[in-house]
Amino acid sequence: MRVSAAQRTENENRIRAAMDRLLRGEIPPGGKCDIKTLANEAAVDRTAFYGTRPYSHLRVEFERRLQALHQAGKIPDPREAQIVRLKAEITKLKDRLTQSEQTIDDLTDFRTQALARLAAQHEEIVRLREPSAETTQVRRLPAPRTTVIGSCS
């Protein structure tokens, strides 16, 4: 079925209007910012955008404008923007998890070393106390006085 020049111009105008709406972020329910939704919004067959079909230049223009928006950091499709945001958040959370696991490992190692040092110190104290009980040359200091002489006030 051939399309007249007037119909083709009218279709191109509808496609450009739908393209502008989609790129502004006015995505219809259940749609995306893609060629399929563009074709549905413009009431044009989707196959007309591919190969040597009459509107392939408009598909190229749409994809170029969409890519320019992406490079500028603007994402017209709210679902796609949410996906990008959630992926960034997942990456951030994975980094925090890795850092937390590293901190836990470091603290566990520190605890193990501290317990080993305390055990070694205790063994050394016990070892040093044993000879003093056996030899008579070591004198014990007298116990502190418990009686108070005079007033302390």
Side-chain angles (χ1 to χ4, degrees), residues 57-73:
H57 67 283
L58 293 174
R59 176 186 53 84
V60 172
E61 179 184 340
F62 177 72
E63 290 172 348
R64 181 185 52 76
R65 288 176 62 187
L66 184 60
Q67 185 177 18
L69 283 174
H70 280 283
Q71 288 175 348

Side-chain angles (χ1 to χ4, degrees), residues 38-91:
L38 177 63
N40 286 338
E41 285 292 298
V44 176
D45 185 26
R46 183 172 44 141
T47 59
F49 288 101
Y50 296 100
T52 58
R53 303 292 178 125
Y55 307 119
S56 62
H57 67 283
L58 293 174
R59 176 186 53 84
V60 172
E61 179 184 340
F62 177 72
E63 290 172 348
R64 181 185 52 76
R65 288 176 62 187
L66 184 60
Q67 185 177 18
L69 283 174
H70 280 283
Q71 288 175 348
K74 298 178 183 175
I75 302 174
D77 190 349
R79 285 184 295 174
E80 191 175 329
Q82 182 181 19
I83 289 170
V84 169
R85 181 182 56 79
L86 290 174
K87 283 183 179 180
E89 188 175 337
I90 287 171
T91 302

